[in-house]
Amino acid sequence: GLGAFAYWLVNQRLLIRARSNVFTLFNTLPTKPVLVYFTTPDCAPCKTIQRPAINRVSHVLGEELEVIEIDATERPDLAKAWGVMSVPTTFVLDTRGEARFVNNGVARAEKLLEQIKTL
């Protein structure tokens, strides 16, 4: 129980951090949900599992979703500002640009779709 609470607490802190840094990605607030995806070129799970899952979600939702992929090695400033400690990390932002979900590690397409649909 204590481990689950600690994980929840870390995720809540990451969401607060992401909310305060949304304008590092946008000049104006988005008009649709956004999936922010932090990756690196040498991340095997990013290429083999996470990228195909994001492609599937993009295919299902089409124009209803914006995907922003950020290479954490090219933009370490953004990774640090958003509190990314490992890749893959995905954030789901609502239409007001508020981070509502964070996924540390691989998030399957079904989980991402469920998170986006709850917005």
Side-chain angles (χ1 to χ4, degrees):
L2 186 60
F5 177 72
Y7 180 77
W8 177 84
L9 195 59
V10 167
N11 280 350
Q12 293 305 307
R13 186 168 184 266
L14 286 175
L15 289 172
I16 290 168
R17 231 175 142 163
R19 287 179 187 130
S20 66
N21 286 296
V22 73
F23 288 108
T24 59
L25 298 178
F26 306 103
N27 292 327
T28 60
L29 291 176
T31 58
K32 55 188 166 185
V34 179
L35 182 64
V36 180
Y37 167 48
F38 286 90
T39 184
T40 60
D42 59 342
C43 173
C46 297
K47 295 175 188 173
T48 59
I49 303 170
Q50 192 64 73
R51 171 49 49 203
I54 290 173
N55 288 343
R56 183 168 165 225
V57 170
S58 292
H59 179 73
V60 169
L61 296 177
E63 294 295 317
E64 296 177 33
L65 176 71
E66 180 178 352
V67 177
I68 297 175
E69 184 173 329
I70 300 168
D71 182 339
T73 59
E74 289 181 8
R75 296 297 311 268
D77 56 322
L78 282 179
K80 183 178 180 181
W82 283 65
V84 174
M85 296 176 279
S86 64
V87 291
T89 296
T90 54
F91 290 88
V92 178
L93 282 59
D94 64 17
T95 56
R96 296 182 317 258
E98 287 190 31
R100 299 282 303 276
F101 298 98
V102 60
N103 301 293
N104 299 299
V106 172
R108 303 273 180 194
E110 296 78 17
K111 182 176 184 178
L112 293 171
L113 282 168
E114 179 182 316
Q115 290 174 340
I116 293 165
K117 289 183 180 187
T118 63
L119 303 176

Short mmCIF file of all heavy atoms in Angstrom, two decimals, residues 43-106:
data_model
loop_
_atom_site.label_atom_id
_atom_site.label_comp_id
_atom_site.label_asym_id
_atom_site.label_seq_id
_atom_site.Cartn_x
_atom_site.Cartn_y
_atom_site.Cartn_z
N CYS A 43 16.23 4.28 -27.12
CA CYS A 43 15.23 3.62 -26.27
C CYS A 43 14.53 2.52 -27.05
O CYS A 43 13.69 2.79 -27.92
CB CYS A 43 14.22 4.66 -25.77
SG CYS A 43 12.82 3.96 -24.88
N ALA A 44 14.87 1.27 -26.76
CA ALA A 44 14.27 0.13 -27.48
C ALA A 44 12.76 0.01 -27.23
O ALA A 44 12.00 -0.17 -28.18
CB ALA A 44 14.99 -1.16 -27.11
N PRO A 45 12.27 0.09 -25.97
CA PRO A 45 10.82 -0.01 -25.76
C PRO A 45 10.06 1.12 -26.45
O PRO A 45 8.91 0.95 -26.85
CB PRO A 45 10.66 0.07 -24.25
CG PRO A 45 11.97 -0.26 -23.67
CD PRO A 45 12.99 0.13 -24.69
N CYS A 46 10.71 2.30 -26.58
CA CYS A 46 10.06 3.42 -27.27
C CYS A 46 9.77 3.05 -28.73
O CYS A 46 8.70 3.35 -29.24
CB CYS A 46 10.96 4.66 -27.23
SG CYS A 46 11.29 5.30 -25.57
N LYS A 47 10.74 2.42 -29.37
CA LYS A 47 10.61 2.07 -30.79
C LYS A 47 9.71 0.86 -31.01
O LYS A 47 8.94 0.84 -31.96
CB LYS A 47 11.99 1.77 -31.38
CG LYS A 47 12.91 2.94 -31.42
CD LYS A 47 14.28 2.52 -31.91
CE LYS A 47 15.27 3.65 -31.76
NZ LYS A 47 16.64 3.21 -32.07
N THR A 48 9.84 -0.14 -30.15
CA THR A 48 9.15 -1.41 -30.40
C THR A 48 7.75 -1.50 -29.82
O THR A 48 6.93 -2.25 -30.34
CB THR A 48 9.98 -2.59 -29.86
OG1 THR A 48 10.18 -2.42 -28.45
CG2 THR A 48 11.33 -2.67 -30.56
N ILE A 49 7.48 -0.75 -28.75
CA ILE A 49 6.17 -0.85 -28.09
C ILE A 49 5.43 0.49 -28.07
O ILE A 49 4.29 0.59 -28.50
CB ILE A 49 6.30 -1.41 -26.65
CG1 ILE A 49 7.01 -2.76 -26.67
CG2 ILE A 49 4.93 -1.53 -26.00
CD1 ILE A 49 7.40 -3.27 -25.30
N GLN A 50 6.12 1.54 -27.54
CA GLN A 50 5.42 2.81 -27.34
C GLN A 50 5.05 3.50 -28.65
O GLN A 50 3.95 3.98 -28.80
CB GLN A 50 6.26 3.75 -26.47
CG GLN A 50 5.48 4.96 -25.98
CD GLN A 50 4.34 4.55 -25.07
OE1 GLN A 50 4.55 4.18 -23.94
NE2 GLN A 50 3.12 4.63 -25.57
N ARG A 51 5.99 3.59 -29.58
CA ARG A 51 5.71 4.25 -30.85
C ARG A 51 4.55 3.57 -31.59
O ARG A 51 3.63 4.24 -32.05
CB ARG A 51 6.99 4.31 -31.70
CG ARG A 51 6.85 4.75 -33.13
CD ARG A 51 6.09 6.00 -33.46
NE ARG A 51 6.38 7.19 -32.72
CZ ARG A 51 5.51 8.21 -32.60
NH1 ARG A 51 4.32 8.15 -33.16
NH2 ARG A 51 5.82 9.28 -31.93
N PRO A 52 4.54 2.22 -31.72
CA PRO A 52 3.38 1.58 -32.36
C PRO A 52 2.06 1.83 -31.62
O PRO A 52 1.02 1.99 -32.26
CB PRO A 52 3.74 0.09 -32.35
CG PRO A 52 5.23 0.07 -32.32
CD PRO A 52 5.62 1.24 -31.49
N ALA A 53 2.10 1.89 -30.29
CA ALA A 53 0.88 2.18 -29.53
C ALA A 53 0.38 3.59 -29.82
O ALA A 53 -0.82 3.81 -30.02
CB ALA A 53 1.14 2.01 -28.03
N ILE A 54 1.29 4.55 -29.90
CA ILE A 54 0.90 5.92 -30.19
C ILE A 54 0.38 6.03 -31.62
O ILE A 54 -0.61 6.73 -31.88
CB ILE A 54 2.08 6.89 -29.94
CG1 ILE A 54 2.32 6.98 -28.43
CG2 ILE A 54 1.80 8.27 -30.53
CD1 ILE A 54 3.55 7.75 -28.04
N ASN A 55 1.01 5.32 -32.55
CA ASN A 55 0.52 5.31 -33.93
C ASN A 55 -0.90 4.76 -34.00
O ASN A 55 -1.73 5.27 -34.74
CB ASN A 55 1.45 4.51 -34.83
CG ASN A 55 2.76 5.21 -35.09
OD1 ASN A 55 2.89 6.42 -34.89
ND2 ASN A 55 3.75 4.46 -35.53
N ARG A 56 -1.17 3.72 -33.23
CA ARG A 56 -2.51 3.13 -33.21
C ARG A 56 -3.54 4.11 -32.66
O ARG A 56 -4.62 4.30 -33.22
CB ARG A 56 -2.51 1.85 -32.38
CG ARG A 56 -3.83 1.16 -32.37
CD ARG A 56 -3.74 -0.22 -31.79
NE ARG A 56 -5.07 -0.68 -31.50
CZ ARG A 56 -5.42 -1.28 -30.38
NH1 ARG A 56 -4.52 -1.55 -29.46
NH2 ARG A 56 -6.66 -1.65 -30.17
N VAL A 57 -3.19 4.79 -31.57
CA VAL A 57 -4.08 5.78 -30.97
C VAL A 57 -4.33 6.92 -31.96
O VAL A 57 -5.46 7.37 -32.14
CB VAL A 57 -3.50 6.31 -29.64
CG1 VAL A 57 -4.27 7.51 -29.14
CG2 VAL A 57 -3.48 5.21 -28.60
N SER A 58 -3.28 7.37 -32.63
CA SER A 58 -3.41 8.44 -33.63
C SER A 58 -4.31 8.01 -34.77
O SER A 58 -5.10 8.81 -35.27
CB SER A 58 -2.04 8.82 -34.18
OG SER A 58 -1.27 9.43 -33.21
N HIS A 59 -4.17 6.76 -35.18
CA HIS A 59 -5.01 6.25 -36.27
C HIS A 59 -6.48 6.20 -35.84
O HIS A 59 -7.37 6.57 -36.62
CB HIS A 59 -4.52 4.87 -36.70
CG HIS A 59 -5.33 4.25 -37.79
ND1 HIS A 59 -5.27 4.69 -39.09
CD2 HIS A 59 -6.25 3.25 -37.77
CE1 HIS A 59 -6.10 3.98 -39.83
NE2 HIS A 59 -6.71 3.10 -39.05
N VAL A 60 -6.74 5.76 -34.63
CA VAL A 60 -8.12 5.64 -34.13
C VAL A 60 -8.76 7.02 -33.96
O VAL A 60 -9.90 7.24 -34.36
CB VAL A 60 -8.15 4.86 -32.79
CG1 VAL A 60 -9.51 4.96 -32.13
CG2 VAL A 60 -7.77 3.41 -33.02
N LEU A 61 -8.02 7.97 -33.40
CA LEU A 61 -8.60 9.28 -33.09
C LEU A 61 -8.43 10.30 -34.20
O LEU A 61 -9.14 11.30 -34.22
CB LEU A 61 -8.00 9.82 -31.79
CG LEU A 61 -8.30 8.99 -30.54
CD1 LEU A 61 -7.60 9.56 -29.34
CD2 LEU A 61 -9.80 8.90 -30.29
N GLY A 62 -7.50 10.07 -35.09
CA GLY A 62 -7.30 10.97 -36.22
C GLY A 62 -7.04 12.40 -35.81
O GLY A 62 -6.18 12.69 -34.98
N GLU A 63 -7.82 13.32 -36.38
CA GLU A 63 -7.65 14.76 -36.14
C GLU A 63 -8.10 15.20 -34.74
O GLU A 63 -7.92 16.35 -34.38
CB GLU A 63 -8.41 15.56 -37.20
CG GLU A 63 -7.87 15.39 -38.60
CD GLU A 63 -6.46 15.95 -38.74
OE1 GLU A 63 -6.19 17.05 -38.21
OE2 GLU A 63 -5.62 15.28 -39.36
N GLU A 64 -8.68 14.30 -33.97
CA GLU A 64 -9.16 14.64 -32.63
C GLU A 64 -8.03 14.68 -31.60
O GLU A 64 -8.26 14.99 -30.43
CB GLU A 64 -10.20 13.63 -32.16
CG GLU A 64 -11.46 13.63 -32.99
CD GLU A 64 -12.43 12.57 -32.52
OE1 GLU A 64 -12.48 12.28 -31.31
OE2 GLU A 64 -13.12 12.01 -33.39
N LEU A 65 -6.80 14.33 -32.01
CA LEU A 65 -5.67 14.25 -31.10
C LEU A 65 -4.44 14.87 -31.74
O LEU A 65 -4.18 14.67 -32.92
CB LEU A 65 -5.37 12.78 -30.75
CG LEU A 65 -4.16 12.51 -29.88
CD1 LEU A 65 -4.42 12.97 -28.45
CD2 LEU A 65 -3.81 11.03 -29.91
N GLU A 66 -3.68 15.59 -30.93
CA GLU A 66 -2.38 16.10 -31.37
C GLU A 66 -1.31 15.33 -30.60
O GLU A 66 -1.41 15.16 -29.40
CB GLU A 66 -2.26 17.59 -31.07
CG GLU A 66 -0.94 18.19 -31.50
CD GLU A 66 -0.84 19.68 -31.25
OE1 GLU A 66 -1.86 20.30 -30.86
OE2 GLU A 66 0.25 20.22 -31.43
N VAL A 67 -0.29 14.88 -31.32
CA VAL A 67 0.82 14.16 -30.69
C VAL A 67 2.08 15.00 -30.83
O VAL A 67 2.41 15.45 -31.92
CB VAL A 67 1.04 12.78 -31.34
CG1 VAL A 67 2.25 12.08 -30.73
CG2 VAL A 67 -0.20 11.90 -31.20
N ILE A 68 2.75 15.21 -29.71
CA ILE A 68 4.01 15.94 -29.70
C ILE A 68 5.08 14.98 -29.19
O ILE A 68 5.01 14.51 -28.05
CB ILE A 68 3.95 17.19 -28.82
CG1 ILE A 68 2.91 18.16 -29.36
CG2 ILE A 68 5.32 17.85 -28.72
CD1 ILE A 68 2.69 19.37 -28.49
N GLU A 69 6.05 14.67 -30.05
CA GLU A 69 7.14 13.79 -29.67
C GLU A 69 8.37 14.64 -29.37
O GLU A 69 8.75 15.50 -30.16
CB GLU A 69 7.45 12.82 -30.80
CG GLU A 69 8.52 11.82 -30.45
CD GLU A 69 8.69 10.74 -31.51
OE1 GLU A 69 7.70 10.39 -32.17
OE2 GLU A 69 9.82 10.27 -31.64
N ILE A 70 8.98 14.38 -28.22
CA ILE A 70 10.14 15.16 -27.79
C ILE A 70 11.30 14.21 -27.53
O ILE A 70 11.19 13.29 -26.71
CB ILE A 70 9.82 15.97 -26.52
CG1 ILE A 70 8.67 16.94 -26.79
CG2 ILE A 70 11.07 16.71 -26.02
CD1 ILE A 70 8.09 17.57 -25.56
N ASP A 71 12.39 14.44 -28.22
CA ASP A 71 13.62 13.70 -28.00
C ASP A 71 14.30 14.31 -26.79
O ASP A 71 14.77 15.45 -26.83
CB ASP A 71 14.51 13.77 -29.24
CG ASP A 71 15.80 12.98 -29.10
OD1 ASP A 71 16.21 12.68 -27.95
OD2 ASP A 71 16.39 12.66 -30.14
N ALA A 72 14.36 13.57 -25.70
CA ALA A 72 14.91 14.09 -24.44
C ALA A 72 16.40 14.35 -24.53
O ALA A 72 16.93 15.14 -23.74
CB ALA A 72 14.61 13.11 -23.30
N THR A 73 17.10 13.74 -25.50
CA THR A 73 18.52 14.03 -25.65
C THR A 73 18.75 15.35 -26.39
O THR A 73 19.74 16.02 -26.17
CB THR A 73 19.26 12.90 -26.40
OG1 THR A 73 18.68 12.72 -27.69
CG2 THR A 73 19.21 11.60 -25.62
N GLU A 74 17.81 15.71 -27.26
CA GLU A 74 17.90 16.99 -27.97
C GLU A 74 17.32 18.14 -27.14
O GLU A 74 17.70 19.29 -27.33
CB GLU A 74 17.15 16.92 -29.31
CG GLU A 74 17.84 16.06 -30.34
CD GLU A 74 17.08 16.04 -31.66
OE1 GLU A 74 16.11 16.81 -31.82
OE2 GLU A 74 17.46 15.24 -32.52
N ARG A 75 16.36 17.85 -26.28
CA ARG A 75 15.70 18.87 -25.46
C ARG A 75 15.73 18.48 -23.98
O ARG A 75 14.69 18.30 -23.34
CB ARG A 75 14.26 19.06 -25.92
CG ARG A 75 14.07 19.58 -27.33
CD ARG A 75 14.64 20.99 -27.54
NE ARG A 75 14.26 21.98 -26.55
CZ ARG A 75 13.22 22.80 -26.64
NH1 ARG A 75 12.44 22.74 -27.69
NH2 ARG A 75 12.97 23.67 -25.68
N PRO A 76 16.93 18.36 -23.40
CA PRO A 76 16.99 18.00 -21.98
C PRO A 76 16.35 19.05 -21.08
O PRO A 76 15.89 18.73 -19.99
CB PRO A 76 18.51 17.87 -21.70
CG PRO A 76 19.17 18.64 -22.79
CD PRO A 76 18.25 18.55 -23.98
N ASP A 77 16.29 20.30 -21.56
CA ASP A 77 15.64 21.36 -20.79
C ASP A 77 14.16 21.07 -20.60
O ASP A 77 13.62 21.24 -19.51
CB ASP A 77 15.84 22.71 -21.47
CG ASP A 77 15.33 22.73 -22.91
OD1 ASP A 77 15.50 21.72 -23.64
OD2 ASP A 77 14.78 23.76 -23.33
N LEU A 78 13.50 20.59 -21.67
CA LEU A 78 12.07 20.25 -21.56
C LEU A 78 11.88 19.02 -20.68
O LEU A 78 10.95 18.99 -19.86
CB LEU A 78 11.47 19.99 -22.94
CG LEU A 78 11.13 21.21 -23.77
CD1 LEU A 78 10.57 20.78 -25.12
CD2 LEU A 78 10.14 22.09 -23.05
N ALA A 79 12.72 18.03 -20.86
CA ALA A 79 12.60 16.82 -20.04
C ALA A 79 12.75 17.16 -18.55
O ALA A 79 11.98 16.69 -17.72
CB ALA A 79 13.64 15.78 -20.46
N LYS A 80 13.70 18.03 -18.25
CA LYS A 80 13.90 18.43 -16.85
C LYS A 80 12.72 19.25 -16.34
O LYS A 80 12.23 19.03 -15.24
CB LYS A 80 15.20 19.22 -16.73
CG LYS A 80 15.52 19.60 -15.31
CD LYS A 80 16.83 20.35 -15.22
CE LYS A 80 17.11 20.72 -13.77
NZ LYS A 80 18.37 21.46 -13.64
N ALA A 81 12.26 20.19 -17.15
CA ALA A 81 11.14 21.04 -16.74
C ALA A 81 9.88 20.22 -16.48
O ALA A 81 9.11 20.53 -15.57
CB ALA A 81 10.87 22.11 -17.80
N TRP A 82 9.67 19.18 -17.28
CA TRP A 82 8.48 18.34 -17.13
C TRP A 82 8.68 17.22 -16.11
O TRP A 82 7.78 16.46 -15.83
CB TRP A 82 8.08 17.77 -18.48
CG TRP A 82 7.38 18.77 -19.35
CD1 TRP A 82 7.91 19.91 -19.88
CD2 TRP A 82 6.03 18.74 -19.77
NE1 TRP A 82 6.97 20.58 -20.61
CE2 TRP A 82 5.79 19.88 -20.56
CE3 TRP A 82 4.97 17.85 -19.57
CZ2 TRP A 82 4.57 20.17 -21.13
CZ3 TRP A 82 3.75 18.12 -20.14
CH2 TRP A 82 3.55 19.28 -20.91
N GLY A 83 9.89 17.09 -15.56
CA GLY A 83 10.15 16.09 -14.54
C GLY A 83 10.32 14.68 -15.08
O GLY A 83 10.13 13.71 -14.35
N VAL A 84 10.72 14.56 -16.34
CA VAL A 84 10.90 13.24 -16.95
C VAL A 84 12.20 12.62 -16.43
O VAL A 84 13.27 13.20 -16.58
CB VAL A 84 10.92 13.35 -18.49
CG1 VAL A 84 11.25 12.02 -19.13
CG2 VAL A 84 9.59 13.89 -18.98
N MET A 85 12.06 11.45 -15.82
CA MET A 85 13.23 10.77 -15.27
C MET A 85 13.63 9.55 -16.09
O MET A 85 14.74 9.06 -15.95
CB MET A 85 12.94 10.36 -13.83
CG MET A 85 12.72 11.55 -12.92
SD MET A 85 12.26 11.08 -11.25
CE MET A 85 10.51 10.75 -11.47
N SER A 86 12.71 9.05 -16.90
CA SER A 86 13.00 7.89 -17.74
C SER A 86 12.13 7.96 -18.99
O SER A 86 11.14 8.68 -19.02
CB SER A 86 12.72 6.59 -16.98
OG SER A 86 11.34 6.49 -16.67
N VAL A 87 12.53 7.22 -20.00
CA VAL A 87 11.75 7.15 -21.23
C VAL A 87 11.35 5.71 -21.47
O VAL A 87 12.07 4.80 -21.05
CB VAL A 87 12.52 7.73 -22.44
CG1 VAL A 87 12.69 9.22 -22.31
CG2 VAL A 87 13.86 7.05 -22.64
N PRO A 88 10.22 5.49 -22.08
CA PRO A 88 9.25 6.46 -22.53
C PRO A 88 8.43 7.02 -21.37
O PRO A 88 8.14 6.33 -20.41
CB PRO A 88 8.35 5.68 -23.48
CG PRO A 88 8.41 4.27 -22.98
CD PRO A 88 9.80 4.10 -22.42
N THR A 89 8.07 8.29 -21.49
CA THR A 89 7.13 8.93 -20.58
C THR A 89 6.12 9.67 -21.45
O THR A 89 6.52 10.38 -22.37
CB THR A 89 7.84 9.91 -19.63
OG1 THR A 89 8.73 9.18 -18.78
CG2 THR A 89 6.83 10.66 -18.76
N THR A 90 4.85 9.48 -21.15
CA THR A 90 3.80 10.17 -21.89
C THR A 90 2.93 10.96 -20.93
O THR A 90 2.68 10.53 -19.81
CB THR A 90 2.91 9.19 -22.68
OG1 THR A 90 2.41 8.19 -21.79
CG2 THR A 90 3.67 8.53 -23.82
N PHE A 91 2.51 12.12 -21.40
CA PHE A 91 1.56 12.97 -20.67
C PHE A 91 0.34 13.13 -21.55
O PHE A 91 0.47 13.35 -22.76
CB PHE A 91 2.16 14.36 -20.40
CG PHE A 91 3.27 14.38 -19.40
CD1 PHE A 91 4.58 14.18 -19.80
CD2 PHE A 91 3.02 14.60 -18.05
CE1 PHE A 91 5.62 14.21 -18.89
CE2 PHE A 91 4.05 14.64 -17.13
CZ PHE A 91 5.36 14.44 -17.55
N VAL A 92 -0.84 13.06 -20.97
CA VAL A 92 -2.08 13.32 -21.69
C VAL A 92 -2.61 14.65 -21.18
O VAL A 92 -2.87 14.81 -19.98
CB VAL A 92 -3.12 12.19 -21.47
CG1 VAL A 92 -4.41 12.52 -22.19
CG2 VAL A 92 -2.56 10.86 -21.93
N LEU A 93 -2.74 15.62 -22.09
CA LEU A 93 -3.23 16.95 -21.77
C LEU A 93 -4.65 17.11 -22.29
O LEU A 93 -4.96 16.63 -23.39
CB LEU A 93 -2.35 18.02 -22.40
CG LEU A 93 -1.01 18.35 -21.75
CD1 LEU A 93 -0.09 17.16 -21.67
CD2 LEU A 93 -0.33 19.46 -22.52
N ASP A 94 -5.48 17.80 -21.53
CA ASP A 94 -6.84 18.05 -21.99
C ASP A 94 -6.88 19.27 -22.91
O ASP A 94 -5.84 19.84 -23.24
CB ASP A 94 -7.81 18.20 -20.81
CG ASP A 94 -7.52 19.40 -19.92
OD1 ASP A 94 -6.79 20.31 -20.34
OD2 ASP A 94 -8.04 19.42 -18.79
N THR A 95 -8.06 19.68 -23.32
CA THR A 95 -8.20 20.77 -24.28
C THR A 95 -7.83 22.14 -23.71
O THR A 95 -7.71 23.09 -24.45
CB THR A 95 -9.64 20.84 -24.83
OG1 THR A 95 -10.55 20.97 -23.73
CG2 THR A 95 -9.98 19.60 -25.63
N ARG A 96 -7.65 22.21 -22.39
CA ARG A 96 -7.20 23.46 -21.76
C ARG A 96 -5.69 23.44 -21.53
O ARG A 96 -5.15 24.34 -20.90
CB ARG A 96 -7.94 23.67 -20.45
CG ARG A 96 -9.43 23.88 -20.62
CD ARG A 96 -10.12 24.15 -19.29
NE ARG A 96 -9.67 23.28 -18.22
CZ ARG A 96 -10.33 22.21 -17.77
NH1 ARG A 96 -11.48 21.88 -18.30
NH2 ARG A 96 -9.85 21.49 -16.79
N GLY A 97 -5.03 22.37 -21.98
CA GLY A 97 -3.59 22.25 -21.82
C GLY A 97 -3.16 21.75 -20.45
O GLY A 97 -1.99 21.79 -20.12
N GLU A 98 -4.11 21.26 -19.66
CA GLU A 98 -3.78 20.74 -18.34
C GLU A 98 -3.39 19.28 -18.43
O GLU A 98 -4.10 18.48 -19.03
CB GLU A 98 -4.96 20.88 -17.37
CG GLU A 98 -5.22 22.28 -16.93
CD GLU A 98 -6.24 22.34 -15.81
OE1 GLU A 98 -6.32 21.38 -15.01
OE2 GLU A 98 -6.97 23.33 -15.75
N ALA A 99 -2.25 18.94 -17.84
CA ALA A 99 -1.81 17.55 -17.81
C ALA A 99 -2.75 16.78 -16.88
O ALA A 99 -2.88 17.11 -15.71
CB ALA A 99 -0.37 17.46 -17.33
N ARG A 100 -3.40 15.78 -17.42
CA ARG A 100 -4.36 15.00 -16.63
C ARG A 100 -3.85 13.61 -16.28
O ARG A 100 -4.26 13.04 -15.28
CB ARG A 100 -5.67 14.88 -17.41
CG ARG A 100 -6.33 16.21 -17.71
CD ARG A 100 -7.08 16.79 -16.52
NE ARG A 100 -8.08 15.90 -16.02
CZ ARG A 100 -9.32 15.78 -16.51
NH1 ARG A 100 -9.70 16.53 -17.51
NH2 ARG A 100 -10.17 14.94 -15.97
N PHE A 101 -2.97 13.07 -17.14
CA PHE A 101 -2.41 11.74 -16.89
C PHE A 101 -0.94 11.74 -17.24
O PHE A 101 -0.52 12.43 -18.16
CB PHE A 101 -3.11 10.67 -17.75
CG PHE A 101 -4.57 10.53 -17.48
CD1 PHE A 101 -5.50 11.17 -18.28
CD2 PHE A 101 -5.03 9.77 -16.42
CE1 PHE A 101 -6.86 11.05 -18.04
CE2 PHE A 101 -6.38 9.65 -16.16
CZ PHE A 101 -7.30 10.28 -16.97
N VAL A 102 -0.17 10.97 -16.49
CA VAL A 102 1.24 10.75 -16.81
C VAL A 102 1.48 9.24 -16.75
O VAL A 102 0.94 8.55 -15.89
CB VAL A 102 2.19 11.50 -15.85
CG1 VAL A 102 2.00 11.07 -14.41
CG2 VAL A 102 3.64 11.33 -16.27
N ASN A 103 2.24 8.76 -17.73
CA ASN A 103 2.59 7.34 -17.79
C ASN A 103 4.10 7.23 -17.82
O ASN A 103 4.74 7.60 -18.80
CB ASN A 103 2.00 6.70 -19.05
CG ASN A 103 0.49 6.83 -19.09
OD1 ASN A 103 -0.20 6.25 -18.29
ND2 ASN A 103 0.00 7.63 -20.02
N ASN A 104 4.67 6.72 -16.75
CA ASN A 104 6.11 6.48 -16.69
C ASN A 104 6.35 5.07 -17.20
O ASN A 104 5.83 4.12 -16.65
CB ASN A 104 6.62 6.60 -15.25
CG ASN A 104 6.39 7.97 -14.69
OD1 ASN A 104 6.90 8.94 -15.22
ND2 ASN A 104 5.58 8.08 -13.65
N GLY A 105 7.12 4.95 -18.26
CA GLY A 105 7.30 3.65 -18.88
C GLY A 105 6.29 3.47 -20.00
O GLY A 105 5.56 4.40 -20.36
N VAL A 106 6.25 2.28 -20.53
CA VAL A 106 5.39 1.98 -21.67
C VAL A 106 3.92 2.05 -21.27
O VAL A 106 3.52 1.53 -20.23
CB VAL A 106 5.71 0.59 -22.24
CG1 VAL A 106 4.71 0.17 -23.29
CG2 VAL A 106 7.13 0.55 -22.80
#
